[in-house]
Amino acid sequence: MNFWTKAAGLILRNRYLVLLIIALITAFLASQMKYIKFSYTEANLLPEDHQANLEYNKFLEIFGEEGNLVILGVKDSTVFTPEKFNAWNKLVAQFDEREEIDFTISIADVQKLKADRKNRKFILEPLYEENPTTVEEVNAIKKQLFEKLPFYDNLLFNKETGTLQTAIYIKKEIINTPKRRDFIFKVLIPAIEKFEKENNLDVRVSGMPYIRTLNAQNIQDEILLFVVGALGITALIFFFFFRSFRATFITLLVVIIGVVWAFGFIGLFGYEITVLTALIPPLIIVIGVPNAVFLINKYQQEIKKHGQQAKALQRVISKVGNATLMTNITTASGFATFVFVKSNLLREFGILASVNIISIFILALLIIPIIYSFMPLPKKKHLSHLETKWIENVVNWMEKMVKNQRITIYFATVIVIVLSIIGIYKIKVSGSLIEDMPKKTTFYKDIKFFEKEFGGIMPLEILIDTKKDNGVMKLSTLKKMEELNETIETFPELSKPISVVNLVKYSKQAYYKGNPKYYQLPTNQEQSYIFSYTKNSNSDAGMLKTFVDSTGRYARITTFMKDIGTDKMDIIQKRLKAVIAKEFPADKYTVTLTGKALVFIKGTNYLINNLVLSLSLAILLIAIFMAWMFRSPQMILISLIPNMLPLLITAGLMGFLDIPIKPSTILVFSIAFGISVDDTIHFLAKYRQELIANKWKIKPSVYAALRETGVSMFYTSIVLFFGFLVFTLSSFGGTIALGGLVSVTLLLAMVSNLLLLPSLLLTFEKKIANKKVFKEPKIRIFPTEEEKTE
């Protein structure tokens, strides 16, 4: 007796115990679900010790978290009427009092810098004392702001369009905690909605904390949509094929337990829900259903053959168990290759996916036969789908093609390969933080609004280390920074930079009685007496600490960038680095470009290199696996060609359809490859078995294998196709692309495995027809004929 026959006896004899163990594990994992956390930061795609991460962390050490700014904007000329103007300032003032807020900057907070000649220092005066009551008063404030205070241009207003902007800085301690979420949903959004209603104004809101919070909420809402959608659509197709409520119910039960386990493992491992881990539960549904298709199909075929339940159930476990174990191991190993990637985000995804794929296999293998053992035999109508006319026609057509049209199949394959390669050359890479975000949401439209009015919302930081204390305030350093500022202003993709330079220019303007034409850097003569005023005043010290650290050694230049892809960013970086190299000699200064968005872009490039690695690893793993299974070098080649083809086509499609490679679409290849190899294993294992039965005659064996595995492959591919299509319901661009591309790839893989694979076997029959090639394989995937007739 072989292992599987023993296992079958053991499972069926101890069925109550097995069910009890499954129930206990499910209860334990369900209790772990309360530890699931939602991600409050952007996914960090780079390893901890990567240069870009080290530079970013150094910046955070000196100046603190940079993504803590929420901005409100309003573009409406009626805001300059007394009621609305005062209401706008009152709205911001009420946030300022909250404990979650560090400080706010709005027009009401604007302070004018003035030179106090008597005490030789600068003092701050409010822009206006009392709330304006007439339109004239408001216009006077507006005129003073727009014409006399260039320091605040592009910070609090856009001179050309009259758009007002207000900055709300959230406390850095709470920025990556659930408190941020509560503030945005329970305080900020209700207050703004109330203000809009009362004043009939449209307020735009943006900034990284706000975008992250709404985005995380979107991910949460979609998990439920995906799980329900995947369950619904797979159950529907399953019922359509099997026409049996009983079979559909059993499958759903297995899959639902699988989903509980999936969520339980996320909690147990202490992982966060990110854009990727959110895909695990629906992925388990989609991968779990084909297991059930193979097991239930086999059970029904056995019942139809001899009508004995005990024998049929034993055979389901012993015959299909092995083949499904192999296919699940290959799928899991496709995902497990992500474990070798240094990126935490992908590593967690890989671990969760592979653990869950193996668990759903074990669940299906145990639950399906045990539940059937409690049920009466299937009726004749439940077996009628085994003789469905249209499926038979499909299989007949495939057989005919493989028999008579092999040249056509090869010709089509070559054309497809050529087209795909052309497409691959068109693929773009995108490393944008907000590109995947739902385009229809208000917060996405608001991002675009701020990009147009103020030049972007994603901070790009330049950190300047002068290598000595108080080195920043030297005039030579300030002039170098001014050069860099001017370069930044030439890029339409970047906003006007803000740094200590702006503050020094403002000091000179204040020294010359607030005349805006003196808003410039002081000359060498002016420097000494303007700086002496600065030393005596504590008023602009508060402003200064935002741009210069306490030792005066480090300065920052902040600009905001539009949502641009990796290509444009590379050009901008090159030009900025050229100016930096020219202006800041390396022996005296260290200048680094950093910021959340830049780290993300670098992360994307890093991921792509890792994708190639993990995919090559998956292909190598499966090649070794085939060699071990069939002990034949030719078979490795024949089995890999039909699976590489769909990947090529998908990459080509991405080029033609303008779908960029980004963190979300990178997974398509590994998922598709891991799943499509299953079909090959099923086919080749059956083919091997037929070879032995047909005394090594290749032709009849190929056709028999095609007839037998064709139906199951067809069923599972259709289930997988529609299962992955569920992801296209998402509002995230990347998830939609992932769903659509995997669906198409799997359909192509089925066609490739049912047409190209048998054709290759027949064409190379002379090479592989000797018994030596098929030595007795390491693993017996299918039983021999003697065992069959027992």
Side-chain angles (χ1 to χ4, degrees):
M1 265 170 84
N2 73 357
F3 164 77
W4 284 99
T5 320
K6 281 183 198 152
L10 202 69
I11 292 169
L12 293 168
R13 274 198 303 279
N14 304 306
R15 54 191 188 173
Y16 290 104
L17 180 67
V18 172
L19 288 179
L20 180 68
I21 293 170
I22 291 177
L24 288 173
I25 295 176
T26 308
F28 167 70
L29 285 171
S31 73
Q32 296 298 307
M33 279 158 66
K34 60 175 179 285
Y35 299 116
I36 291 180
K37 300 191 289 284
F38 283 93
S39 167
Y40 287 103
T41 53
E42 261 71 62
N44 193 351
L45 309 169
L46 292 166
E48 297 297 316
D49 54 1
H50 190 280
Q51 184 64 31
N53 263 344
L54 298 176
E55 286 170 1
Y56 181 60
N57 290 336
K58 181 179 179 184
F59 172 83
L60 293 185
E61 248 168 67
I62 300 169
F63 289 108
E65 173 70 47
E66 35 109 42
N68 63 336
L69 165 68
V70 173
I71 41 181
L72 312 181
V74 64
K75 183 180 184 177
D76 188 331
S77 55
T78 63
V79 81
F80 296 105
T81 53
E83 300 78 30
K84 292 188 182 180
F85 185 77
N86 293 330
W88 174 250
N89 289 325
K90 195 175 141 210
L91 170 74
V92 184
Q94 75 181 56
F95 292 132
D96 208 6
E97 291 152 15
R98 305 272 322 178
E99 55 169 359
E100 302 95 337
I101 299 306
D102 202 356
F103 63 97
T104 62
I105 306 177
S106 77
I107 292 180
D109 304 311
V110 168
Q111 304 270 12
K112 282 190 305 191
L113 203 57
K114 269 204 152 160
D116 172 359
R117 303 274 181 215
K118 197 167 135 206
N119 301 315
R120 297 182 63 83
K121 65 175 188 178
F122 290 119
I123 50 168
L124 286 170
E125 282 186 356
L127 183 63
Y128 58 93
E129 296 292 340
E130 292 182 358
N131 283 343
T133 50
T134 63
V135 177
E136 286 69 36
E137 285 175 12
V138 177
N139 283 340
I141 294 171
K142 178 181 172 184
K143 186 174 176 183
Q144 208 174 350
L145 190 63
F146 280 32
E147 290 172 18
K148 298 272 166 63
L149 296 173
F151 177 78
Y152 292 105
D153 186 16
N154 212 55
L155 261 183
L156 290 180
F157 59 88
N158 177 335
K159 209 155 65 180
E160 272 73 52
T161 60
T163 307
L164 292 184
Q165 174 168 276
T166 287
I168 300 173
Y169 286 88
I170 297 180
K171 281 200 177 128
K172 289 169 179 171
E173 303 78 71
I174 71 156
I175 202 72
N176 293 328
T177 67
K179 277 190 187 156
R180 174 191 86 197
R181 194 195 138 156
D182 295 342
F183 168 72
I184 284 176
F185 280 123
K186 293 177 184 158
V187 181
L188 184 76
I189 295 177
I192 289 172
E193 282 172 353
K194 182 170 170 251
F195 171 82
E196 288 182 321
K197 217 173 176 171
E198 288 170 0
N199 295 285
N200 193 20
L201 286 172
D202 177 21
V203 178
R204 311 290 196 135
V205 191
S206 204
M208 288 325 274
Y210 177 79
I211 295 172
R212 283 180 198 165
T213 307
L214 268 75
N215 211 28
Q217 188 57 40
N218 252 353
I219 295 176
Q220 256 164 283
D221 299 344
E222 286 195 354
I223 293 186
L224 190 67
L225 171 81
F226 287 156
V227 170
V228 174
L231 279 174
I233 197 137
T234 44
L236 204 72
I237 297 163
F238 197 90
F239 182 74
F240 174 72
F241 281 147
F242 281 93
R243 300 294 163 90
S244 146
F245 282 113
R246 191 192 302 176
T248 311
F249 166 73
I250 294 172
T251 307
L252 282 180
L253 178 73
V254 171
V255 176
I256 288 169
I257 295 175
V259 169
V260 173
W261 283 29
F263 279 121
F265 281 127
I266 295 177
L268 182 67
F269 296 157
Y271 291 163
E272 292 183 334
I273 296 255
T274 57
V275 177
L276 291 188
T277 45
L279 302 178
I280 299 272
L283 194 69
I284 295 312
I285 298 174
V286 171
I287 291 175
V289 170
N291 286 336
V293 170
F294 278 112
L295 292 164
I296 294 176
N297 214 7
K298 179 70 181 167
Y299 174 65
Q300 296 185 341
Q301 280 172 351
E302 290 291 327
I303 292 287
K304 195 177 165 196
K305 239 186 248 169
H306 49 70
Q308 296 168 6
Q309 189 176 35
K311 187 175 176 185
L313 289 170
Q314 187 131 3
R315 285 225 173 140
V316 167
I317 299 174
S318 58
K319 307 278 162 66
V320 185
N322 210 344
T324 25
L325 174 67
M326 288 307 118
T327 54
N328 279 286
I329 284 178
T330 52
T331 306
S333 60
F335 284 101
T337 52
F338 287 131
V339 177
F340 301 108
V341 175
K342 283 198 189 121
S343 156
N344 273 345
L345 182 78
L346 279 180
R347 188 183 295 151
E348 288 179 8
F349 178 75
I351 292 171
L352 279 173
S354 32
V355 168
N356 279 306
I357 287 167
I358 299 299
S359 354
I360 191 94
F361 160 71
I362 295 168
L363 284 172
L365 192 70
L366 298 177
I367 294 175
I368 292 175
I370 289 179
I371 290 189
Y372 267 122
S373 71
F374 290 110
M375 289 184 159
L377 283 178
K379 299 190 178 66
K380 197 160 165 36
K381 65 171 184 185
H382 292 154
L383 307 177
S384 59
H385 75 92
L386 296 171
E387 294 156 3
T388 320
K389 260 278 165 279
W390 64 274
I391 291 215
E392 210 160 283
N393 293 340
V394 172
V395 177
N396 286 339
W397 175 80
M398 286 182 193
E399 197 176 323
K400 202 165 79 210
M401 286 297 289
V402 173
K403 235 178 216 160
N404 314 321
Q405 306 283 333
R406 277 207 292 282
I407 300 298
T408 317
I409 292 175
Y410 294 145
F411 190 63
T413 306
V414 171
I415 289 179
V416 165
I417 290 175
V418 172
L419 283 174
S420 302
I421 290 171
I422 296 171
I424 289 173
Y425 278 102
K426 298 186 171 196
I427 288 190
K428 288 197 214 46
V429 175
S430 149
S432 147
L433 258 180
I434 54 182
E435 183 191 37
D436 270 353
M437 292 182 185
K439 305 273 185 284
K440 293 191 179 69
T441 52
T442 336
F443 77 87
Y444 187 82
K445 291 178 183 141
D446 287 355
I447 292 173
K448 290 295 171 207
F449 168 81
F450 283 104
E451 282 189 357
K452 189 165 155 258
E453 294 290 329
F454 296 99
I457 49 128
M458 291 186 294
L460 173 67
E461 299 280 357
I462 300 172
L463 179 65
I464 296 165
D465 174 4
T466 60
K467 300 190 182 175
K468 51 178 178 282
D469 289 356
N470 298 321
V472 173
M473 296 310 283
K474 281 173 61 183
L475 195 57
S476 56
T477 306
L478 293 169
K479 283 183 171 160
K480 290 175 189 303
M481 286 172 71
E482 174 71 336
E483 280 292 323
L484 192 51
N485 284 349
E486 282 168 6
T487 310
I488 292 173
E489 287 194 34
T490 60
F491 290 108
E493 296 85 6
L494 301 176
S495 73
K496 255 169 122 166
I498 174 141
S499 66
V500 64
V501 174
N502 303 54
L503 206 52
V504 173
K505 288 177 173 179
Y506 192 18
S507 308
K508 177 170 171 177
Q509 180 190 352
Y511 184 80
Y512 286 106
K513 299 188 176 157
N515 186 341
K517 79 166 196 256
Y518 289 105
Y519 181 71
Q520 62 204 62
L521 283 177
T523 59
N524 290 348
Q525 292 91 343
E526 295 164 326
Q527 175 195 1
S528 52
Y529 44 84
I530 289 181
F531 281 1
S532 71
Y533 270 58
T534 315
K535 282 195 184 76
N536 297 337
S537 30
N538 53 3
S539 49
D540 55 354
M543 285 171 145
L544 198 63
K545 75 169 198 284
T546 325
F547 307 121
V548 182
D549 79 314
S550 52
T551 63
R553 174 179 165 174
Y554 294 98
R556 76 195 268 193
I557 299 177
T558 306
T559 168
F560 290 91
M561 56 186 213
K562 292 186 176 160
D563 177 31
I564 47 178
T566 5
D567 308 343
K568 264 195 191 152
M569 195 59 227
D570 289 344
I571 299 166
I572 291 175
Q573 276 192 74
K574 270 199 193 100
R575 270 187 52 195
L576 287 179
K577 281 181 177 160
V579 175
I580 290 168
K582 183 173 142 239
E583 291 293 330
F584 296 89
D587 53 335
K588 292 186 187 156
Y589 300 95
T590 309
V591 182
T592 44
L593 296 173
T594 185
K596 247 313 184 302
L598 195 64
V599 174
F600 190 82
I601 287 178
K602 289 187 171 162
T604 308
N605 292 337
Y606 177 83
L607 264 195
I608 289 158
N609 301 335
N610 271 289
L611 158 78
V612 179
L613 173 82
S614 71
L615 194 61
S616 325
L617 259 171
I619 292 169
L620 182 74
L621 262 172
I622 285 161
I624 293 171
F625 186 73
M626 292 288 182
W628 188 56
M629 221 169 73
F630 290 111
R631 304 290 200 76
S632 142
Q634 288 97 325
M635 285 307 287
I636 298 176
L637 203 64
I638 286 178
S639 62
L640 285 180
I641 291 173
N643 291 302
M644 303 292 282
L645 187 66
L647 297 188
L648 254 180
I649 301 174
T650 306
L653 277 176
M654 283 174 75
F656 284 122
L657 298 176
D658 217 17
I659 299 171
I661 285 204
K662 49 191 169 189
S664 43
T665 51
I666 272 179
L667 300 171
V668 171
F669 298 99
S670 301
I671 294 178
F673 186 73
I675 297 177
S676 69
V677 169
D678 299 357
D679 283 350
T680 313
I681 292 177
H682 272 286
F683 185 89
L684 288 178
K686 185 71 199 149
Y687 164 67
R688 210 191 156 281
Q689 187 190 324
E690 292 294 336
L691 266 183
I692 299 168
N694 290 318
K695 312 234 174 351
W696 303 97
K697 292 194 185 74
I698 284 203
K699 274 193 179 123
S701 311
V702 170
Y703 297 135
L706 186 61
R707 295 204 76 78
E708 176 124 349
T709 50
V711 179
S712 283
M713 269 197 218
F714 187 74
Y715 278 1
T716 50
S717 296
I718 297 293
V719 170
L720 287 166
F721 175 75
F722 285 106
F724 275 104
L725 271 188
V726 167
F727 289 136
T728 57
L729 298 174
S730 170
S731 54
F732 292 89
T735 315
I736 298 174
L738 177 91
L741 289 169
V742 173
S743 294
V744 172
T745 313
L746 293 178
L747 262 195
L748 294 167
M750 172 193 75
V751 174
S752 175
N753 274 311
L754 289 175
L755 291 176
L756 188 60
L757 182 62
S759 304
L760 287 169
L761 286 170
L762 290 172
T763 304
F764 294 102
E765 62 178 318
K766 299 288 176 287
K767 294 241 175 31
I768 50 176
N770 54 354
K771 290 187 191 180
K772 283 198 250 15
V773 166
F774 274 108
K775 296 193 187 85
E776 192 51 36
K778 276 283 189 209
I779 321 170
R780 299 253 299 286
I781 289 202
F782 280 104
T784 54
E785 280 307 305
E786 298 80 90
E787 285 178 282
K788 270 180 147 185
T789 50
E790 280 169 24

